[in-house]
């Protein structure tokens, strides 16, 4: 952050005097107070549970305006990218900062095809993992072991190694994810096919001959590609913040991304897409009315999964796009999808209820994804794996950006200690 960025200062009045703190203005006019000198000057720290007010870095990757429902990757609105760009274009944009020229895209895509296979013994290792284990647990373990299989690309201080690891991660994650799925259904793995594009290849490795073909196949490829685009980055969400924190210790990119996969698995974060579908199935199977279910939510017995967001306090622009996609795929007059219909009713009832509107709770990215994935044949426990495939470019981009940040330091938050004062071990004083 240059001196020019410091538009003004704020004053903090405290017992010991007055501290002037610089205020930085971001690209879109958002302002940030820099607290670097606070502890040294005043002896005080800040307490900000969940980092709700804390910017831990400056970033050029993604802009979100939560009040206005705006999301942009590298300046491009998500609405444009969702309908106009392929996942590989968006991955390139998020990681390298610019949309690829056609030659750059071909080179990128060729490298991913060439690196899509995993070593045979890594395949054996994945096959030996518990077949009924949660795919997110297996995915995180497999990503972690990539560092051991590819120890020529683990040095964060070597740009060529980081680039090689970037390609390997992007190329191999679909292969690993599809193998985990096929093991779970007792089927043999399917090797990557380098005649297919990135998304088609993933669907083919997952479903083999059962993958839809013709118009339906095209629709599914397009839908999965668009869902991956919508998930590609979301600035400092829990898993991306985790990747940055782990990477800040100079851990390699595979270890950092594996940590991101683990952070994503929780139901408050990426695991919400599975939780939404289970919630809808639970309402359907129990025969509970939507009104009764929402009463239970308001009594804080359960959460309305797929609703609410730390940053979006108006609407989540991703959820708008996904709802349109869900309607295209699921809203057929002759065969309407029952869980999609239930989700629509649940959303309408929640948005008509002051409990949700007063708290600014709206559907988030996870509310409608599960019903789409389900109709494609993905089991509930694979939904978050699809989120991980989409979020991978964001994790990589943040890891790489941090390596070049002049303000880069190991992540090490402070605490507000409220435990026991000093006391002595019996017999010691
Ligand atoms: N259902 C019912 N009440 C809710 C919900 C919900 N889904 N979300 C928030 N609230 C209430 C909460 O109880 C609190 O009420 P009060 O002020 O009366 O105590 C108020 O709204 C503010 O909530 P919060 O927990 O302080 O909000 P947060 O920013 O800490 O949490 C969240 C954000 C996403 C974790 C939360 O909204 C949630 O648990 N949602 C359900 C899980 C979900 O869908 N997660 C996916 C998030 S989007 C994609 C991603 O990140 O992966």
């Amino acid at each position: 952050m240059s001196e020019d960025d410091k538009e003004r200062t704020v004053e903090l009045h405290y017992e010991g005097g007055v501290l002037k703190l610089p205020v930085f203005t971001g690209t879109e006019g958002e302002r940030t107070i820099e607290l670097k000198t606070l502890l040294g000057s005043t002896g005080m720290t800040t307490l900000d549970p969940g980092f709700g007010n804390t910017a831990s870095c400056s970033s050029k990757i993604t802009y979100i305006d939560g009040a206005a429902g705006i999301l942009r990757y590298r300046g491009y609105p998500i609405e444009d990218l969702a309908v106009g760009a392929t996942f590989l274009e968006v991955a390139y944009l998020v990681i390298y900062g610019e949309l690829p020229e056609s030659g750059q895209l071909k080179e990128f895509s060729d490298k991913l095809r060439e690196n899509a296979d995993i070593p045979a013994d890594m395949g054996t290792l994945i096959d030996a993992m518990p077949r009924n284990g949660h795919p997110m647990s297996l995915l995180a373990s497999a990503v972690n072991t990539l560092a051991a299989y590819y120890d020529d690309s683990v040095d964060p201080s070597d740009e060529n190694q980081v680039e090689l690891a970037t390609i390997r991660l992007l190329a191999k994650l679909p292969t690993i994810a599809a193998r985990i799925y096929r093991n779970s259904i007792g089927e043999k793995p399917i090797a990557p096919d380098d005649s297919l594009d990135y998304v088609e290849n993933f669907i083919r490795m997952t479903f083999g001959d059962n993958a839809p073909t013709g118009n339906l196949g095209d629709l599914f490829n397009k839908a999965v590609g668009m869902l991956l685009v919508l998930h590609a980055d979301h600035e400092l969400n829990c898993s991306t913040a985790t990747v940055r924190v782990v990477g800040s210790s100079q851990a390699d990119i595979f270890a950092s991304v594996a940590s991101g996969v683990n952070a994503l698995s929780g139901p408050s974060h990426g695991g919400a897409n599975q939780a939404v579908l289970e919630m809808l199935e639970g309402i359907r199977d129990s025969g509970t009315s939507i009104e009764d279910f929402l009463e239970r939510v308001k009594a804080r017995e359960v959460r309305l999964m797929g609703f609410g967001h730390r940053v979006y306090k108006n609407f989540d622009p991703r959820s708008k796009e996904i709802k349109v996609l869900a309607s295209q795929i699921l809203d057929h007059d002759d065969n309407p999808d029952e869980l999609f219909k239930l989700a629509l009713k649940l959303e309408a009832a929640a948005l008509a209820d002051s409990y949700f509107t007063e708290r600014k709770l709206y559907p988030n990215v996870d509310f409608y994804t599960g019903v789409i994935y389900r109709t494609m044949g993905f089991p509930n426990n694979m939904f978050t794996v699809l989120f991980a495939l989409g979020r991978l470019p964001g994790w990589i981009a943040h890891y790489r950006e941090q390596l070049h940040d002049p303000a880069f330091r190991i992540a090490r938050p402070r605490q507000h200690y409220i435990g026991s004062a000093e006391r002595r071990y019996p017999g010691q004083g």
Side-chain angles (χ1 to χ4, degrees), residues 267-270 272 297 300 303-310 313 318 355-356 359 361 364-366 387:
S268 294
H269 191 11
V297 173
R300 294 170 194 267
R303 282 219 152 186
L304 177 53
M305 301 310 287
F307 256 66
H309 199 276
R310 172 63 60 78
K313 298 298 174 192
R318 303 166 300 173
Y355 176 93
F356 298 94
R359 289 172 177 75
L361 301 172
N364 60 47
V365 69
D366 292 315
F387 193 150

PDB file of all heavy atoms in Angstrom, residues 267-270 272 297 300 303-310 313 318 355-356 359 361 364-366 387, ligand 1:
ATOM      1  N   PRO A 267     -20.425 -27.779   7.523  1.00  0.00           N
ATOM      2  CA  PRO A 267     -21.764 -27.398   7.046  1.00  0.00           C
ATOM      3  C   PRO A 267     -22.057 -25.899   7.088  1.00  0.00           C
ATOM      4  O   PRO A 267     -22.985 -25.446   6.431  1.00  0.00           O
ATOM      5  CB  PRO A 267     -22.715 -28.157   7.982  1.00  0.00           C
ATOM      6  CG  PRO A 267     -21.904 -28.529   9.165  1.00  0.00           C
ATOM      7  CD  PRO A 267     -20.477 -28.650   8.709  1.00  0.00           C
ATOM      8  N   SER A 268     -21.249 -25.122   7.827  1.00  0.00           N
ATOM      9  CA  SER A 268     -21.465 -23.678   7.775  1.00  0.00           C
ATOM     10  C   SER A 268     -20.853 -23.086   6.517  1.00  0.00           C
ATOM     11  O   SER A 268     -21.116 -21.940   6.159  1.00  0.00           O
ATOM     12  CB  SER A 268     -20.820 -22.985   8.989  1.00  0.00           C
ATOM     13  OG  SER A 268     -21.487 -23.384  10.151  1.00  0.00           O
ATOM     14  N   HIS A 269     -20.000 -23.850   5.860  1.00  0.00           N
ATOM     15  CA  HIS A 269     -19.300 -23.368   4.653  1.00  0.00           C
ATOM     16  C   HIS A 269     -19.741 -24.252   3.483  1.00  0.00           C
ATOM     17  O   HIS A 269     -20.929 -24.380   3.209  1.00  0.00           O
ATOM     18  CB  HIS A 269     -17.794 -23.417   4.947  1.00  0.00           C
ATOM     19  CG  HIS A 269     -16.892 -22.750   3.961  1.00  0.00           C
ATOM     20  ND1 HIS A 269     -17.320 -21.923   2.957  1.00  0.00           N
ATOM     21  CD2 HIS A 269     -15.533 -22.813   3.820  1.00  0.00           C
ATOM     22  CE1 HIS A 269     -16.275 -21.491   2.254  1.00  0.00           C
ATOM     23  NE2 HIS A 269     -15.183 -22.024   2.751  1.00  0.00           N
ATOM     24  N   GLY A 270     -18.807 -24.890   2.791  1.00  0.00           N
ATOM     25  CA  GLY A 270     -19.164 -25.646   1.582  1.00  0.00           C
ATOM     26  C   GLY A 270     -20.060 -26.837   1.857  1.00  0.00           C
ATOM     27  O   GLY A 270     -20.854 -27.240   0.994  1.00  0.00           O
ATOM     28  N   ALA A 272     -22.574 -26.955   3.336  1.00  0.00           N
ATOM     29  CA  ALA A 272     -23.985 -26.549   3.386  1.00  0.00           C
ATOM     30  C   ALA A 272     -24.763 -27.114   2.191  1.00  0.00           C
ATOM     31  O   ALA A 272     -25.969 -27.358   2.307  1.00  0.00           O
ATOM     32  CB  ALA A 272     -24.104 -25.023   3.421  1.00  0.00           C
ATOM     33  N   VAL A 297     -36.861 -23.399  13.068  1.00  0.00           N
ATOM     34  CA  VAL A 297     -35.684 -22.562  12.784  1.00  0.00           C
ATOM     35  C   VAL A 297     -35.712 -21.346  13.706  1.00  0.00           C
ATOM     36  O   VAL A 297     -34.698 -20.999  14.338  1.00  0.00           O
ATOM     37  CB  VAL A 297     -35.668 -22.114  11.296  1.00  0.00           C
ATOM     38  CG1 VAL A 297     -34.544 -21.107  11.059  1.00  0.00           C
ATOM     39  CG2 VAL A 297     -35.500 -23.320  10.372  1.00  0.00           C
ATOM     40  N   ARG A 300     -34.631 -21.703  17.063  1.00  0.00           N
ATOM     41  CA  ARG A 300     -33.196 -22.024  17.064  1.00  0.00           C
ATOM     42  C   ARG A 300     -32.919 -23.508  17.329  1.00  0.00           C
ATOM     43  O   ARG A 300     -31.864 -23.881  17.834  1.00  0.00           O
ATOM     44  CB  ARG A 300     -32.441 -21.172  18.090  1.00  0.00           C
ATOM     45  CG  ARG A 300     -32.467 -19.710  17.709  1.00  0.00           C
ATOM     46  CD  ARG A 300     -31.942 -18.836  18.815  1.00  0.00           C
ATOM     47  NE  ARG A 300     -32.287 -17.448  18.567  1.00  0.00           N
ATOM     48  CZ  ARG A 300     -31.518 -16.579  17.937  1.00  0.00           C
ATOM     49  NH1 ARG A 300     -30.345 -16.940  17.507  1.00  0.00           N
ATOM     50  NH2 ARG A 300     -31.913 -15.343  17.737  1.00  0.00           N
ATOM     51  N   ARG A 303     -30.981 -24.767  11.859  1.00  0.00           N
ATOM     52  CA  ARG A 303     -30.716 -23.617  10.980  1.00  0.00           C
ATOM     53  C   ARG A 303     -31.376 -23.870   9.631  1.00  0.00           C
ATOM     54  O   ARG A 303     -31.516 -25.028   9.217  1.00  0.00           O
ATOM     55  CB  ARG A 303     -29.225 -23.435  10.752  1.00  0.00           C
ATOM     56  CG  ARG A 303     -28.554 -22.786  11.923  1.00  0.00           C
ATOM     57  CD  ARG A 303     -27.489 -21.778  11.529  1.00  0.00           C
ATOM     58  NE  ARG A 303     -27.416 -20.798  12.615  1.00  0.00           N
ATOM     59  CZ  ARG A 303     -26.692 -19.698  12.605  1.00  0.00           C
ATOM     60  NH1 ARG A 303     -25.974 -19.402  11.554  1.00  0.00           N
ATOM     61  NH2 ARG A 303     -26.686 -18.871  13.624  1.00  0.00           N
ATOM     62  N   LEU A 304     -31.760 -22.803   8.988  1.00  0.00           N
ATOM     63  CA  LEU A 304     -32.241 -22.937   7.614  1.00  0.00           C
ATOM     64  C   LEU A 304     -30.996 -22.981   6.728  1.00  0.00           C
ATOM     65  O   LEU A 304     -30.368 -21.949   6.460  1.00  0.00           O
ATOM     66  CB  LEU A 304     -33.141 -21.740   7.256  1.00  0.00           C
ATOM     67  CG  LEU A 304     -33.664 -21.700   5.827  1.00  0.00           C
ATOM     68  CD1 LEU A 304     -34.364 -22.993   5.430  1.00  0.00           C
ATOM     69  CD2 LEU A 304     -34.632 -20.525   5.660  1.00  0.00           C
ATOM     70  N   MET A 305     -30.631 -24.182   6.330  1.00  0.00           N
ATOM     71  CA  MET A 305     -29.382 -24.341   5.590  1.00  0.00           C
ATOM     72  C   MET A 305     -29.521 -23.745   4.190  1.00  0.00           C
ATOM     73  O   MET A 305     -30.577 -23.799   3.577  1.00  0.00           O
ATOM     74  CB  MET A 305     -28.980 -25.821   5.516  1.00  0.00           C
ATOM     75  CG  MET A 305     -28.787 -26.457   6.884  1.00  0.00           C
ATOM     76  SD  MET A 305     -27.707 -25.511   7.977  1.00  0.00           S
ATOM     77  CE  MET A 305     -26.096 -25.817   7.255  1.00  0.00           C
ATOM     78  N   GLY A 306     -28.404 -23.164   3.697  1.00  0.00           N
ATOM     79  CA  GLY A 306     -28.454 -22.503   2.389  1.00  0.00           C
ATOM     80  C   GLY A 306     -28.978 -21.086   2.482  1.00  0.00           C
ATOM     81  O   GLY A 306     -29.209 -20.440   1.462  1.00  0.00           O
ATOM     82  N   PHE A 307     -29.193 -20.608   3.697  1.00  0.00           N
ATOM     83  CA  PHE A 307     -29.640 -19.230   3.918  1.00  0.00           C
ATOM     84  C   PHE A 307     -28.621 -18.504   4.778  1.00  0.00           C
ATOM     85  O   PHE A 307     -28.016 -19.093   5.675  1.00  0.00           O
ATOM     86  CB  PHE A 307     -30.990 -19.210   4.650  1.00  0.00           C
ATOM     87  CG  PHE A 307     -32.143 -18.884   3.742  1.00  0.00           C
ATOM     88  CD1 PHE A 307     -32.512 -19.749   2.727  1.00  0.00           C
ATOM     89  CD2 PHE A 307     -32.865 -17.701   3.894  1.00  0.00           C
ATOM     90  CE1 PHE A 307     -33.572 -19.460   1.885  1.00  0.00           C
ATOM     91  CE2 PHE A 307     -33.928 -17.399   3.063  1.00  0.00           C
ATOM     92  CZ  PHE A 307     -34.288 -18.272   2.053  1.00  0.00           C
ATOM     93  N   GLY A 308     -28.479 -17.199   4.522  1.00  0.00           N
ATOM     94  CA  GLY A 308     -27.595 -16.381   5.349  1.00  0.00           C
ATOM     95  C   GLY A 308     -26.196 -16.327   4.782  1.00  0.00           C
ATOM     96  O   GLY A 308     -25.757 -17.242   4.074  1.00  0.00           O
ATOM     97  N   HIS A 309     -25.530 -15.238   5.053  1.00  0.00           N
ATOM     98  CA  HIS A 309     -24.154 -15.089   4.591  1.00  0.00           C
ATOM     99  C   HIS A 309     -23.475 -13.992   5.392  1.00  0.00           C
ATOM    100  O   HIS A 309     -24.102 -12.989   5.713  1.00  0.00           O
ATOM    101  CB  HIS A 309     -24.116 -14.729   3.094  1.00  0.00           C
ATOM    102  CG  HIS A 309     -22.797 -15.003   2.479  1.00  0.00           C
ATOM    103  ND1 HIS A 309     -21.757 -14.104   2.538  1.00  0.00           N
ATOM    104  CD2 HIS A 309     -22.332 -16.095   1.830  1.00  0.00           C
ATOM    105  CE1 HIS A 309     -20.715 -14.643   1.931  1.00  0.00           C
ATOM    106  NE2 HIS A 309     -21.024 -15.837   1.506  1.00  0.00           N
ATOM    107  N   ARG A 310     -22.207 -14.187   5.708  1.00  0.00           N
ATOM    108  CA  ARG A 310     -21.466 -13.180   6.454  1.00  0.00           C
ATOM    109  C   ARG A 310     -21.375 -11.865   5.687  1.00  0.00           C
ATOM    110  O   ARG A 310     -21.463 -10.784   6.262  1.00  0.00           O
ATOM    111  CB  ARG A 310     -20.063 -13.706   6.772  1.00  0.00           C
ATOM    112  CG  ARG A 310     -19.103 -12.695   7.385  1.00  0.00           C
ATOM    113  CD  ARG A 310     -19.580 -12.190   8.741  1.00  0.00           C
ATOM    114  NE  ARG A 310     -19.734 -13.233   9.721  1.00  0.00           N
ATOM    115  CZ  ARG A 310     -18.731 -13.816  10.395  1.00  0.00           C
ATOM    116  NH1 ARG A 310     -17.499 -13.430  10.200  1.00  0.00           N
ATOM    117  NH2 ARG A 310     -18.974 -14.755  11.273  1.00  0.00           N
ATOM    118  N   LYS A 313     -25.793  -9.162   2.461  1.00  0.00           N
ATOM    119  CA  LYS A 313     -26.903  -8.803   3.332  1.00  0.00           C
ATOM    120  C   LYS A 313     -28.081  -8.305   2.499  1.00  0.00           C
ATOM    121  O   LYS A 313     -28.922  -7.544   2.941  1.00  0.00           O
ATOM    122  CB  LYS A 313     -26.474  -7.712   4.338  1.00  0.00           C
ATOM    123  CG  LYS A 313     -25.351  -8.178   5.263  1.00  0.00           C
ATOM    124  CD  LYS A 313     -25.752  -9.374   6.134  1.00  0.00           C
ATOM    125  CE  LYS A 313     -24.597  -9.916   6.938  1.00  0.00           C
ATOM    126  NZ  LYS A 313     -24.838 -11.214   7.563  1.00  0.00           N
ATOM    127  N   ARG A 318     -24.724 -15.186  -6.846  1.00  0.00           N
ATOM    128  CA  ARG A 318     -24.512 -16.539  -7.358  1.00  0.00           C
ATOM    129  C   ARG A 318     -25.797 -17.346  -7.257  1.00  0.00           C
ATOM    130  O   ARG A 318     -26.133 -18.141  -8.133  1.00  0.00           O
ATOM    131  CB  ARG A 318     -23.390 -17.223  -6.568  1.00  0.00           C
ATOM    132  CG  ARG A 318     -22.085 -16.472  -6.601  1.00  0.00           C
ATOM    133  CD  ARG A 318     -21.121 -16.988  -5.555  1.00  0.00           C
ATOM    134  NE  ARG A 318     -21.640 -16.864  -4.204  1.00  0.00           N
ATOM    135  CZ  ARG A 318     -21.058 -17.353  -3.119  1.00  0.00           C
ATOM    136  NH1 ARG A 318     -19.928 -18.013  -3.233  1.00  0.00           N
ATOM    137  NH2 ARG A 318     -21.588 -17.182  -1.923  1.00  0.00           N
ATOM    138  N   TYR A 355     -38.654 -12.698  10.508  1.00  0.00           N
ATOM    139  CA  TYR A 355     -37.472 -13.234  11.204  1.00  0.00           C
ATOM    140  C   TYR A 355     -36.268 -13.233  10.256  1.00  0.00           C
ATOM    141  O   TYR A 355     -35.157 -12.866  10.638  1.00  0.00           O
ATOM    142  CB  TYR A 355     -37.745 -14.676  11.688  1.00  0.00           C
ATOM    143  CG  TYR A 355     -36.534 -15.322  12.342  1.00  0.00           C
ATOM    144  CD1 TYR A 355     -36.341 -15.249  13.721  1.00  0.00           C
ATOM    145  CD2 TYR A 355     -35.575 -15.994  11.578  1.00  0.00           C
ATOM    146  CE1 TYR A 355     -35.220 -15.822  14.322  1.00  0.00           C
ATOM    147  CE2 TYR A 355     -34.455 -16.569  12.167  1.00  0.00           C
ATOM    148  CZ  TYR A 355     -34.288 -16.480  13.538  1.00  0.00           C
ATOM    149  OH  TYR A 355     -33.178 -17.051  14.120  1.00  0.00           O
ATOM    150  N   PHE A 356     -36.528 -13.642   9.010  1.00  0.00           N
ATOM    151  CA  PHE A 356     -35.428 -13.767   8.040  1.00  0.00           C
ATOM    152  C   PHE A 356     -35.097 -12.419   7.411  1.00  0.00           C
ATOM    153  O   PHE A 356     -33.925 -12.083   7.260  1.00  0.00           O
ATOM    154  CB  PHE A 356     -35.782 -14.821   6.972  1.00  0.00           C
ATOM    155  CG  PHE A 356     -35.975 -16.182   7.594  1.00  0.00           C
ATOM    156  CD1 PHE A 356     -37.244 -16.624   7.974  1.00  0.00           C
ATOM    157  CD2 PHE A 356     -34.889 -16.997   7.862  1.00  0.00           C
ATOM    158  CE1 PHE A 356     -37.414 -17.847   8.598  1.00  0.00           C
ATOM    159  CE2 PHE A 356     -35.054 -18.227   8.490  1.00  0.00           C
ATOM    160  CZ  PHE A 356     -36.321 -18.650   8.871  1.00  0.00           C
ATOM    161  N   ARG A 359     -33.160 -10.051   9.705  1.00  0.00           N
ATOM    162  CA  ARG A 359     -31.758 -10.463   9.870  1.00  0.00           C
ATOM    163  C   ARG A 359     -31.011 -10.492   8.545  1.00  0.00           C
ATOM    164  O   ARG A 359     -29.874 -10.932   8.472  1.00  0.00           O
ATOM    165  CB  ARG A 359     -31.699 -11.843  10.540  1.00  0.00           C
ATOM    166  CG  ARG A 359     -32.094 -11.799  12.003  1.00  0.00           C
ATOM    167  CD  ARG A 359     -32.225 -13.181  12.597  1.00  0.00           C
ATOM    168  NE  ARG A 359     -32.536 -13.117  14.006  1.00  0.00           N
ATOM    169  CZ  ARG A 359     -33.734 -12.807  14.513  1.00  0.00           C
ATOM    170  NH1 ARG A 359     -34.741 -12.529  13.697  1.00  0.00           N
ATOM    171  NH2 ARG A 359     -33.929 -12.744  15.821  1.00  0.00           N
ATOM    172  N   LEU A 361     -31.435 -12.396   5.902  1.00  0.00           N
ATOM    173  CA  LEU A 361     -31.061 -13.767   5.529  1.00  0.00           C
ATOM    174  C   LEU A 361     -31.710 -14.105   4.187  1.00  0.00           C
ATOM    175  O   LEU A 361     -32.933 -14.095   4.065  1.00  0.00           O
ATOM    176  CB  LEU A 361     -31.534 -14.752   6.600  1.00  0.00           C
ATOM    177  CG  LEU A 361     -30.980 -14.506   8.010  1.00  0.00           C
ATOM    178  CD1 LEU A 361     -31.658 -15.419   9.035  1.00  0.00           C
ATOM    179  CD2 LEU A 361     -29.469 -14.717   8.027  1.00  0.00           C
ATOM    180  N   ASN A 364     -28.265 -18.465  -0.206  1.00  0.00           N
ATOM    181  CA  ASN A 364     -26.871 -18.308  -0.634  1.00  0.00           C
ATOM    182  C   ASN A 364     -26.549 -19.318  -1.743  1.00  0.00           C
ATOM    183  O   ASN A 364     -27.435 -20.055  -2.201  1.00  0.00           O
ATOM    184  CB  ASN A 364     -25.925 -18.423   0.576  1.00  0.00           C
ATOM    185  CG  ASN A 364     -26.047 -19.757   1.281  1.00  0.00           C
ATOM    186  OD1 ASN A 364     -26.045 -20.801   0.639  1.00  0.00           O
ATOM    187  ND2 ASN A 364     -26.145 -19.726   2.609  1.00  0.00           N
ATOM    188  N   VAL A 365     -25.296 -19.366  -2.135  1.00  0.00           N
ATOM    189  CA  VAL A 365     -24.862 -20.181  -3.274  1.00  0.00           C
ATOM    190  C   VAL A 365     -25.247 -21.653  -3.109  1.00  0.00           C
ATOM    191  O   VAL A 365     -25.435 -22.373  -4.085  1.00  0.00           O
ATOM    192  CB  VAL A 365     -23.330 -20.021  -3.467  1.00  0.00           C
ATOM    193  CG1 VAL A 365     -22.557 -20.660  -2.326  1.00  0.00           C
ATOM    194  CG2 VAL A 365     -22.856 -20.536  -4.803  1.00  0.00           C
ATOM    195  N   ASP A 366     -25.394 -22.095  -1.856  1.00  0.00           N
ATOM    196  CA  ASP A 366     -25.620 -23.520  -1.620  1.00  0.00           C
ATOM    197  C   ASP A 366     -27.092 -23.932  -1.654  1.00  0.00           C
ATOM    198  O   ASP A 366     -27.393 -25.118  -1.598  1.00  0.00           O
ATOM    199  CB  ASP A 366     -25.032 -23.911  -0.244  1.00  0.00           C
ATOM    200  CG  ASP A 366     -23.515 -23.825  -0.248  1.00  0.00           C
ATOM    201  OD1 ASP A 366     -22.910 -24.304  -1.215  1.00  0.00           O
ATOM    202  OD2 ASP A 366     -22.943 -23.270   0.702  1.00  0.00           O
ATOM    203  N   PHE A 387     -17.965 -28.390  -5.114  1.00  0.00           N
ATOM    204  CA  PHE A 387     -17.634 -27.032  -4.653  1.00  0.00           C
ATOM    205  C   PHE A 387     -16.101 -26.888  -4.627  1.00  0.00           C
ATOM    206  O   PHE A 387     -15.535 -25.887  -5.098  1.00  0.00           O
ATOM    207  CB  PHE A 387     -18.235 -26.830  -3.260  1.00  0.00           C
ATOM    208  CG  PHE A 387     -18.279 -25.416  -2.735  1.00  0.00           C
ATOM    209  CD1 PHE A 387     -19.290 -25.026  -1.854  1.00  0.00           C
ATOM    210  CD2 PHE A 387     -17.337 -24.463  -3.082  1.00  0.00           C
ATOM    211  CE1 PHE A 387     -19.348 -23.732  -1.342  1.00  0.00           C
ATOM    212  CE2 PHE A 387     -17.386 -23.164  -2.575  1.00  0.00           C
ATOM    213  CZ  PHE A 387     -18.382 -22.800  -1.701  1.00  0.00           C
TER     214      PHE A 387
HETATM  215  N1  LIG B   1     -30.969 -19.917   9.763  1.00  0.00           N
HETATM  216  C1  LIG B   1     -31.506 -19.292  10.820  1.00  0.00           C
HETATM  217  N2  LIG B   1     -31.007 -18.206  11.405  1.00  0.00           N
HETATM  218  C2  LIG B   1     -29.841 -17.743  10.900  1.00  0.00           C
HETATM  219  C3  LIG B   1     -29.214 -18.359   9.800  1.00  0.00           C
HETATM  220  C4  LIG B   1     -29.820 -19.475   9.216  1.00  0.00           C
HETATM  221  N3  LIG B   1     -29.282 -20.071   8.166  1.00  0.00           N
HETATM  222  N4  LIG B   1     -28.086 -17.679   9.521  1.00  0.00           N
HETATM  223  C5  LIG B   1     -28.006 -16.685  10.427  1.00  0.00           C
HETATM  224  N5  LIG B   1     -29.082 -16.730  11.252  1.00  0.00           N
HETATM  225  C6  LIG B   1     -29.387 -15.763  12.317  1.00  0.00           C
HETATM  226  C7  LIG B   1     -28.519 -15.976  13.538  1.00  0.00           C
HETATM  227  O1  LIG B   1     -29.130 -16.871  14.446  1.00  0.00           O
HETATM  228  C8  LIG B   1     -28.402 -14.579  14.072  1.00  0.00           C
HETATM  229  O2  LIG B   1     -29.615 -14.251  14.724  1.00  0.00           O
HETATM  230  P1  LIG B   1     -29.566 -13.369  16.097  1.00  0.00           P
HETATM  231  O3  LIG B   1     -28.923 -12.068  15.714  1.00  0.00           O
HETATM  232  O4  LIG B   1     -30.987 -13.252  16.507  1.00  0.00           O
HETATM  233  O5  LIG B   1     -28.733 -14.159  17.064  1.00  0.00           O
HETATM  234  C9  LIG B   1     -28.344 -13.725  12.818  1.00  0.00           C
HETATM  235  O6  LIG B   1     -29.065 -14.467  11.813  1.00  0.00           O
HETATM  236  C10 LIG B   1     -26.934 -13.432  12.331  1.00  0.00           C
HETATM  237  O7  LIG B   1     -26.302 -14.687  12.111  1.00  0.00           O
HETATM  238  P2  LIG B   1     -24.797 -15.026  12.381  1.00  0.00           P
HETATM  239  O8  LIG B   1     -24.689 -16.460  12.772  1.00  0.00           O
HETATM  240  O9  LIG B   1     -24.191 -13.987  13.285  1.00  0.00           O
HETATM  241  O10 LIG B   1     -24.189 -14.835  10.942  1.00  0.00           O
HETATM  242  P3  LIG B   1     -22.743 -15.242  10.485  1.00  0.00           P
HETATM  243  O11 LIG B   1     -22.310 -14.230   9.522  1.00  0.00           O
HETATM  244  O12 LIG B   1     -21.851 -15.500  11.654  1.00  0.00           O
HETATM  245  O13 LIG B   1     -22.970 -16.666   9.768  1.00  0.00           O
HETATM  246  C11 LIG B   1     -23.467 -18.274   8.136  1.00  0.00           C
HETATM  247  C12 LIG B   1     -23.066 -16.824   8.411  1.00  0.00           C
HETATM  248  C13 LIG B   1     -23.407 -18.510   6.632  1.00  0.00           C
HETATM  249  C14 LIG B   1     -22.493 -19.229   8.815  1.00  0.00           C
HETATM  250  C15 LIG B   1     -24.900 -18.498   8.671  1.00  0.00           C
HETATM  251  O14 LIG B   1     -25.803 -17.637   8.007  1.00  0.00           O
HETATM  252  C16 LIG B   1     -25.353 -19.947   8.518  1.00  0.00           C
HETATM  253  O15 LIG B   1     -25.073 -20.776   9.387  1.00  0.00           O
HETATM  254  N6  LIG B   1     -26.087 -20.293   7.409  1.00  0.00           N
HETATM  255  C17 LIG B   1     -26.473 -21.658   7.171  1.00  0.00           C
HETATM  256  C18 LIG B   1     -25.311 -22.459   6.608  1.00  0.00           C
HETATM  257  C19 LIG B   1     -25.022 -22.079   5.178  1.00  0.00           C
HETATM  258  O16 LIG B   1     -25.912 -22.021   4.337  1.00  0.00           O
HETATM  259  N7  LIG B   1     -23.739 -21.877   4.871  1.00  0.00           N
HETATM  260  C20 LIG B   1     -23.268 -21.543   3.520  1.00  0.00           C
HETATM  261  C21 LIG B   1     -22.741 -20.137   3.460  1.00  0.00           C
HETATM  262  S1  LIG B   1     -22.507 -19.518   1.798  1.00  0.00           S
HETATM  263  C22 LIG B   1     -21.340 -20.506   1.030  1.00  0.00           C
HETATM  264  C23 LIG B   1     -20.112 -20.822   1.777  1.00  0.00           C
HETATM  265  O17 LIG B   1     -19.528 -19.996   2.477  1.00  0.00           O
HETATM  266  O18 LIG B   1     -19.659 -21.934   1.651  1.00  0.00           O
END
